[in-house]
Amino acid sequence: MAGKTTITIDGPGGSGKSTVARRLADSLGFAFLDSGAIYRAATWFALDQGLDLTDTARVLQAMDGLSLHFEQTPAGMSVFVNLVDVTGQIRTREVSNSIFHLANSGEVRSRLIGYQQAFAQDADLVAEGRDMGSVVFPDAPLKFYLMASLEIRARRRQRELEQVGEQINFEAIKEEILIRDERDSNREVAPLCKPEGAVVIDSSDLEIQQVIAVMTGEARSRGLV
Ligand code: DC
């Protein structure tokens, strides 16, 4: 088939996007972009430099010295900031709860968009995030919006945090998810939304394999794979 194909998956945190996107990419032989990891890495970098994240001008200036690099591994995408592997460090609560300072800034977002679009230059791609179908890859021929109930998302997030050694009360996790939803959906620039034409999937009661089967079916019916 001529040209490269991009499939986008947007949705709130904990909807299962990352796992589903990675497995879908593997099964189709496509590359995989976890755009949240880019926002996480930039936030980690700013925190590591001791910057005041509310000072966007200073953060932007510091980002001149930010070099991001990614490696696909069997366990997922490894993320490097200026050659340091920060794959685990970008998943902490401190980073998660600070990202909005950068994610709310249009200037920061446009700085990070190039890293994201570069993934689609030479490869068929499954891209997941909040604005993949609406802003970063608006011409993608297949877009999904993946959602799940708050309970399920909180349980998934709890497991993810346990993997980086953080034990957090379930109610506190739910609270943090609601705050992040609110921030992601209501920011002025590139808010989380269902992109026009996106296929909506509620993953609350579905196994990963079932979600992937629905997605693969949609890709086949459009002649993309
Ligand atoms: O998918 P995630 O939880 O790793 O994303 C972390 C944060 O990054 C999320 O709260 C909002 C931000 N983000 C964004 O603004 N745009 C994206 N395309 C992906 C993530």
Side-chain angles (χ1 to χ4, degrees), residues 157-174:
R157 179 80 186 124
Q158 192 172 36
R159 272 200 299 270
E160 196 179 88
L161 285 170
E162 280 167 7
Q163 278 163 13
V164 291
E166 296 193 45
Q167 304 282 347
I168 315 292
N169 171 281
F170 190 63
E171 291 306 313
I173 292 181
K174 282 211 284 200

Side-chain angles (χ1 to χ4, degrees), residues 14-204:
S15 58
K17 283 175 307 183
S18 287
T19 311
V20 162
R22 188 161 47 237
R23 300 232 192 136
L24 181 69
D26 278 354
S27 85
L28 299 179
F30 284 23
F32 162 60
L33 166 63
D34 168 1
S35 62
I38 292 178
Y39 286 90
R40 286 174 179 281
T43 303
W44 177 86
F45 172 74
L47 288 171
D48 188 58
Q49 305 244 318
L51 300 183
D52 169 4
L53 301 198
T54 63
D55 184 350
T56 310
R58 180 73 192 87
V59 170
L60 277 166
Q61 188 189 29
M63 279 173 66
D64 289 339
L66 168 68
S67 157
L68 286 177
H69 166 74
F70 308 91
E71 264 177 45
Q72 305 280 354
T73 71
M77 190 170 77
S78 288
V79 185
F80 296 81
V81 168
N82 299 340
L83 304 180
V84 178
D85 186 343
V86 295
T87 311
Q89 295 169 73
I90 64 172
R91 305 270 158 208
T92 60
R93 275 172 91 210
E94 187 194 10
V95 169
S96 297
N97 294 336
S98 306
I99 297 170
F100 75 98
H101 293 293
L102 275 72
N104 280 357
S105 156
E107 283 166 297
V108 171
R109 298 193 77 88
S110 22
R111 211 55 101 75
L112 296 178
I113 220 167
Y115 283 111
Q116 299 166 61
Q117 290 173 338
F119 274 76
Q121 258 156 29
D122 308 310
D124 294 321
L125 183 70
V126 176
E128 66 98 340
R130 305 292 190 288
D131 59 347
M132 298 295 97
S134 54
V135 175
V136 182
F137 302 109
D139 299 328
L142 179 55
K143 302 176 184 183
F144 292 103
Y145 186 77
L146 193 62
M147 47 190 273
S149 70
L150 179 61
E151 289 291 313
I152 297 276
R153 293 165 57 206
R155 222 170 290 145
R156 289 174 182 158
R157 179 80 186 124
Q158 192 172 36
R159 272 200 299 270
E160 196 179 88
L161 285 170
E162 280 167 7
Q163 278 163 13
V164 291
E166 296 193 45
Q167 304 282 347
I168 315 292
N169 171 281
F170 190 63
E171 291 306 313
I173 292 181
K174 282 211 284 200
E175 197 55 37
E176 286 183 4
I177 287 181
L178 287 174
I179 292 171
R180 278 220 285 154
D181 278 0
E182 161 82 17
R183 285 175 179 158
D184 285 350
S185 307
N186 294 324
R187 68 169 169 245
E188 279 173 28
V189 213
L192 167 66
C193 63
K194 175 176 109 51
E196 215 181 307
V199 177
V200 179
I201 303 176
D202 183 340
S203 74
S204 306

Side-chain angles (χ1 to χ4, degrees), residues 5-17:
T5 299
T6 297
I7 297 176
T8 63
I9 306 179
D10 289 299
S15 58
K17 283 175 307 183

